Amino acid sequence: MACGGGCCCSSAGRLNADNARFLLLAVLIVLYMLCGAAVFSAIELPTEREAKERWEERLENFTRRHNLSRAELRRFLREYEEASVAGIRVDDIRPRWDFTGAFYFVGTVVSTIGFGMTTPATVGGKIFLIFYGLIGCAGTILFFNLFLERLITVIAYVMKSCHERQLRRKGVLPHNGRRGSGTSEVDSLAGWKPSVYYVMLILCVASLIISCCASAMYTPIEGWSYFDSLYFCFVAFSTIGFGDLVSSQNIKYESQGLYRFGNFVFILMGVCCIYSLFNVISIVIKQSINWILKKLDCRCCHRCQRKLFRSRRNVVMPGNVRSRRNISIETDVVNESDTDGRRLSGEMISMKDFLASNKVSLAIMQKQLSETANGYPRQMSSNSKQNGFSGGVGALAIMNNRLAETSVDR
């Protein structure tokens, strides 16, 4: 958004705020992925090389000790890899395709976790999975969105009640609920909405509590360390689902029915909370992108206004403009982008030029009047377009106007 060569404010009209926000987010995600790749490569690559060297050494010792060729041993290991895809393991594990195992599998499918420890091996199973996952994933995403809507509503109600109780304790609001001297405070309380940062903090605490409780269950039963259990909780609840650690896979547990039920409840609650947390964090990211765009736009506009002022500082008004002063207006009523240059130079603008420069605003006004006459006016304040939360899809649309940062009254 540099100003070199021409006025960047004119190019901003071609690149609207939504497209600029999309492009900036895409660039930031690519940079974030590059940084993440560099960090993970620096951390994990030495361990991978050491493991490969140890495996090659162990393979060489095994072939020498048992007088086997490398080719035969590798062929046997490939056969085991094919068997492991069908669910065969060295240790005894629960059956993968009995009813409880299949129910666990479809749960990982519709929740988009996809651990990968169980996959269909037949053509019929793979075809059925495509159609089953298409409907199941869509229905589960709808469930998560409805859960998010109710969760935000409950949090907003509780926080509003606490805020109202604080105001009553301070004496700002009357205890009997009548409108007296605190009328303005009552009116402001009616439109009060919780901040997205408080909601994010509440969801962080709830997700942490669920993860810690689930880890306390997984550690003694699965034999994992507490840190590995926390790692599994994040990977499962966020639906990343690597599959390196998977719960409820042994063939026998103490209190097996109770453990499997607790595992199901923890995963369901954790996925719902983490999904809600991710969507609230996305609002914070969107706010940060809006702030960056606003800063870039302000710098660009300041530079353009300085160039415009220098170019028009010694402007001589043409005679035909002076002769038609009765149909011209001063620049005090023009858009802010032209205000500094024309007002300081004393230049006048004709009504024709004014209408041409504001034809978009007039078209929007005509559309709003037409919608109002037809009985379905679309109410949207200027603040809702400025903060970038005037619309949305999915979870963003659900949280629109429910939080202070996404409210059109802000």
Side-chain angles (χ1 to χ4, degrees):
M1 303 181 79
C3 298
C7 181
C8 60
C9 296
S10 60
S11 63
R14 294 190 295 270
L15 185 65
N16 59 24
D18 290 333
N19 291 333
R21 190 182 302 115
F22 172 76
L23 292 176
L24 180 59
L25 179 60
V27 171
L28 292 177
I29 288 177
V30 171
L31 292 176
Y32 189 76
M33 292 174 64
L34 291 174
C35 293
V39 172
F40 280 114
S41 179
I43 294 175
E44 298 294 337
L45 184 59
T47 304
E48 180 189 15
R49 289 173 177 170
E50 291 176 3
K52 189 175 181 180
E53 291 175 0
R54 286 197 303 268
W55 170 251
E56 291 293 335
E57 182 180 355
R58 190 172 301 174
L59 195 66
E60 182 66 27
N61 294 335
F62 186 85
T63 54
R64 189 184 305 112
R65 186 183 307 119
H66 296 280
N67 196 19
L68 294 173
S69 65
R70 277 277 187 112
E72 291 178 349
L73 185 57
R74 290 186 182 276
R75 192 181 307 114
F76 177 77
L77 293 175
R78 288 193 189 97
E79 292 176 356
Y80 174 74
E81 289 177 354
E82 294 175 358
S84 65
V85 173
I88 306 301
R89 297 291 187 275
V90 176
D91 298 325
D92 290 335
I93 58 174
R94 60 182 289 183
R96 297 297 175 93
W97 293 111
D98 62 349
F99 183 79
T100 56
F103 184 79
Y104 193 90
F105 167 74
V106 297
T108 62
V109 171
V110 299
S111 62
T112 69
I113 296 177
F115 285 125
M117 79 292 179
T118 303
T119 56
T122 62
V123 176
K126 293 176 181 178
I127 294 175
F128 179 72
L129 175 64
I130 294 173
F131 295 99
Y132 184 84
L134 184 67
I135 299 174
C137 293
T140 307
I141 290 174
L142 176 61
F143 172 80
F144 288 155
N145 286 334
L146 295 178
F147 175 84
L148 173 63
E149 182 180 10
R150 279 147 183 80
L151 181 64
I152 296 296
T153 302
V154 170
I155 292 176
Y157 176 78
V158 172
M159 293 185 66
K160 184 176 180 180
S161 300
C162 295
H163 182 67
E164 184 178 356
R165 189 175 302 172
Q166 271 188 343
L167 293 179
R168 292 186 188 281
R169 192 176 301 166
K170 294 178 181 178
V172 178
L173 288 179
H175 290 275
N176 53 11
R178 294 179 299 177
R179 291 179 178 267
S181 59
T183 303
S184 60
E185 286 79 3
V186 174
D187 294 337
S188 63
L189 183 63
W192 185 87
K193 294 179 178 65
S195 173
V196 67
Y197 300 102
Y198 289 115
V199 175
M200 183 174 65
L201 179 62
I202 292 173
L203 289 174
C204 280
V205 172
S207 302
L208 186 61
I209 291 174
I210 293 174
S211 299
C212 290
C213 293
S215 299
M217 180 185 71
Y218 292 134
T219 299
I221 296 179
E222 295 288 350
W224 301 335
S225 66
Y226 193 79
F227 178 78
D228 284 341
S229 299
L230 285 175
Y231 163 79
F232 164 77
C233 287
F234 176 77
V235 171
F237 297 167
S238 60
T239 70
I240 296 174
F242 289 126
D244 50 348
L245 295 175
V246 183
S247 61
S248 187
Q249 294 302 299
N250 293 337
I251 195 168
K252 191 68 177 177
Y253 290 99
E254 294 183 7
S255 304
Q256 182 166 294
L258 183 61
Y259 169 65
R260 288 181 176 175
F261 176 75
N263 180 50
F264 173 78
V265 171
F266 275 125
I267 290 181
L268 178 64
M269 293 173 58
V271 169
C272 290
C273 285
I274 292 293
Y275 176 83
S276 304
L277 178 61
F278 283 170
N279 283 284
V280 173
I281 293 175
S282 68
I283 293 180
V284 178
I285 295 175
K286 195 171 185 180
Q287 278 188 308
S288 303
I289 292 175
N290 291 338
W291 179 82
I292 294 173
L293 289 176
K294 188 176 180 181
K295 290 295 183 182
L296 293 175
D297 191 38
C298 288
R299 290 181 181 178
C300 179
C301 288
H302 286 317
R303 293 176 183 174
C304 292
Q305 286 174 1
R306 289 197 208 102
K307 289 185 176 181
L308 188 65
F309 172 68
R310 292 194 195 102
S311 63
R312 294 187 175 181
R313 185 167 49 189
N314 298 320
V315 169
V316 179
M317 294 172 57
N320 60 344
V321 175
R322 290 177 180 174
S323 63
R324 292 186 296 171
R325 286 187 180 178
N326 56 341
I327 61 170
S328 62
I329 56 178
E330 293 183 358
T331 53
D332 291 337
V333 292
V334 196
N335 289 338
E336 291 181 5
S337 60
D338 297 336
T339 300
D340 293 340
R342 285 183 175 139
R343 183 183 297 148
L344 293 175
S345 63
E347 184 183 350
M348 310 292 281
I349 180 173
S350 66
M351 180 63 73
K352 180 180 178 181
D353 294 336
F354 175 74
L355 293 176
S357 62
N358 290 275
K359 61 182 179 181
V360 177
S361 300
L362 291 175
I364 294 175
M365 187 183 301
Q366 289 174 356
K367 182 180 178 182
Q368 290 175 347
L369 290 175
S370 175
E371 290 177 348
T372 304
N374 291 330
Y376 48 91
R378 182 181 179 183
Q379 297 178 352
M380 183 185 296
S381 66
S382 59
N383 289 335
S384 65
K385 297 193 76 174
Q386 289 175 2
N387 60 20
F389 292 100
S390 58
V393 179
L396 286 179
I398 288 174
M399 288 186 288
N400 186 30
N401 206 25
R402 291 180 179 271
L403 302 174
E405 286 76 10
T406 63
S407 175
V408 297
D409 301 327
R410 189 168 172 261

